[in-house]
Amino acid sequence: MLPATNRRHRVVVVGAGFGGIAAARALRNTPVDVVIVDAHNFHTFQPLLYQVATAGLDTDDIASAVRGIFRRQHNVDVVLGRVAAVDIERRTLTITDHPPLAYDTLVLAAGAVSADYGIAGVREHAIGLKSMADALAVRDRVLRSFERAAAQPELVDDGLLTVAIVGGGPTGVELAGGTQELFSRVLRRDFPSLDLRRSRVVLIEAADRLLGPFAPHLGDKALRTLRSRGVEVVLGTGVDRIEGTAGEPPSVAGAVVLSDGRRIPAGTIVWATGVTAAPLAQRLIDADPAVQTTRGGRIVVGPDLTLPGHPEVFVIGDIAASRDDQGHGDLLPQVAQPAIQGGRYAARAIGARLAGTTTEPFRYRDKGSMATIGRNAAVCEFPNGWTLSGRLGWMAWLGLHLIELVGFRNRANVLVNWGWNYFTYDRGARLIAPQEK
Amino acid sequence: MLPATNRRHRVVVVGAGFGGIAAARALRNTPVDVVIVDAHNFHTFQPLLYQVATAGLDTDDIASAVRGIFRRQHNVDVVLGRVAAVDIERRTLTITDHPPLAYDTLVLAAGAVSADYGIAGVREHAIGLKSMADALAVRDRVLRSFERAAAQPELVDDGLLTVAIVGGGPTGVELAGGTQELFSRVLRRDFPSLDLRRSRVVLIEAADRLLGPFAPHLGDKALRTLRSRGVEVVLGTGVDRIEGTAGEPPSVAGAVVLSDGRRIPAGTIVWATGVTAAPLAQRLIDADPAVQTTRGGRIVVGPDLTLPGHPEVFVIGDIAASRDDQGHGDLLPQVAQPAIQGGRYAARAIGARLAGTTTEPFRYRDKGSMATIGRNAAVCEFPNGWTLSGRLGWMAWLGLHLIELVGFRNRANVLVNWGWNYFTYDRGARLIAPQEK
């Protein structure tokens, strides 16, 4: 076990997502040793996972080696592993394939995972869109369905070329738009023998409109754009269950059965609704039964983003139930900005404590939201109430995402790939994963 | 089953490697229907597999969707599947997950796979370098070894940070040079806590010199360059067996036991020597016991690259025992050029037959050979006997490989990645594959 004495104050950050990376970066001039623990050796730029799922970008375009990010920041070390247990009294983490790790301050930024809300069949027959492995699984499934339909066109009648997406939030909308483009611009040309009129992209949302967190007129705009491009949108209808199909390999992935009894057979089913806190939240409860959670398993934190009674444990990002208005307002959305701002706040608070000063409570600064619907179409909402949509919104979306990728090495590649996609209507990354050795 | 009557002459090409792609492309103006069958939906640019193995390039940089390559060539169709049997009398292929496929002319371009020469332990404990899956497995293994050593530094004494490469031909030399660079330029900075002086790259060759097919002074040059950069080269020593190690997960991959009794424990063992014809060769023998093969299982063909007695069956590239000097000279090397030229020849011969004319026997035109040893170092040999090495050789190598990638979409990305690697001494693709869903 690495001893926690006779050395600098050690901050252990669990999770190399937006929150964890922001916290570690913001500690660069603080006299602490930082250790980032993550189960992957790369950071994933989650907002662009749907691009990998729709073959527009490949993994290395939106992934960045964690050790590479901190090459020049010499107070950061990286540990590849999963946190198996938290000993909150001894201030020690148990990590798979690694000696126990002691901390002086802990920053929990482990994120969230897909939640099935107890709906039958989700885990077995649907794919989430929260990780790189998810995105590759969706891409693989869609491309294999088309190859299979080329060999056995009769399976198209069973819904093989249907992609059903559950959840009309930004993830579902972006994936639906991207998939429709992949179909109409790329696969239509790749598979001239298939009747693409029988392929379907179906987006299912339980609420009465798309993009719930956005202004209503932007949800309407997204709905009109998606429908005009050929996406079938089902609103105001929940999902009762997801069924599989027999056969080996099964002819289609299964069917989404709606609450009104309708059945949508589909070759690919994506579960793009609902997340729950990462399993680490449960380990924290195991360690300290006094830990409170909200709906979605998010850990309740104080106005300074620490665990009540444990000022040495910060909880930030998707795994935290942090609130705006200095802890009194609504739960913050589980997107990049609250995680980044929470990470920076935690770093500032750690520095202040070591310097013997105090910090104001966390205050979230809303920077607005964006969702892209497809080529030349996106919706943006700024905190002052202004909105953008259409081509202008898309250019704002593109510019912001390129800026956000700055600092990661992939921006040039992303630019090359996006330029290529835009001008040639081609997608370079449509590779079905090699499996045999 | 797709009927073979009442339609245009159908050419079925098995394999989307250099030979198969060249044949199909060269048939673009011939009044035939072409069907390419491959187990992958992408073409792999094999000469750069070592770049993926050493994290310099990612998969999509050297892979290209087969359907994308033939987007504009409307007489080509693509089938994703493996050839399970050849019925040479009925001119029909049995393909996994696909209806049987009839042909009028067959072009077999299925390539070669790693051969273990019956040496014990190769299959269990070593990784080949013939496919994208191989390259990703090598990359994964090396990066995981370093992460593991960071967690358990005592394992370095067991050889965890050693990469042992068996085979001093171009593949082994390029991989050894690339791995040494990955160690000294990138991983040294990624893992500042590890003592990289205890990492080793060991290249083992049974012959007395490296790069057997090249002029001796180029092999010597490669030897000097590799050694000066820190690669340990063992010459004139065969491999007796490869041993595994106990433990779960095992502390190292195993050990290479040399014919002189020396044991080289290693975290990663790459088998870069020896290939044998793809399994399809055996299926052809099953179909027609008269089929002859040479050492390495390569199928004997006549001067027109067809199977004796079966003028409708062309066999080209690594799977064929084609010879230069119009069928009387030495066996051609199993590299890209003979496959490309064989593919073009087969296409020309098919066109000539349909036009009622004849074709000269196949004549191989040697265009020389190249192997890169690392940054600013490569060796080139031209057919007139001229040679190049050092920085000039490297620039020739770089230029040629960029030109060869033209026509595939990846050239811009490759340029971006190589430029990035060259000027920053960084490698962008050092991602350990995501495994959990």
Side-chain angles (χ1 to χ4, degrees), chain B residues 30-50:
Chain B
T30 309
V32 293
D33 289 326
V34 180
V35 181
I36 299 193
V37 183
D38 198 284
H40 296 109
N41 77 332
F42 55 87
H43 165 78
T44 302
F45 194 84
Q46 282 198 349
L48 292 179
L49 276 177
Y50 82 95

Side-chain angles (χ1 to χ4, degrees), chain B residues 307-325:
Chain B
L307 208 58
H310 285 283
E312 80 283 8
V313 180
F314 289 85
V315 188
I316 61 169
D318 292 1
I319 199 175
S322 46
R323 294 172 185 278
D324 58 9
D325 198 16

Side-chain angles (χ1 to χ4, degrees), chain A residues 67 71 147 189 409 417, chain B residues 67 71 189 409 417:
Chain A
R67 291 184 188 275
R71 261 175 105 148
E147 294 289 351
R189 295 210 247 180
R409 52 89 57 175
N417 280 333
Chain B
R67 292 185 187 273
R71 264 175 100 148
R189 293 212 247 178
R409 51 89 55 173
N417 280 332

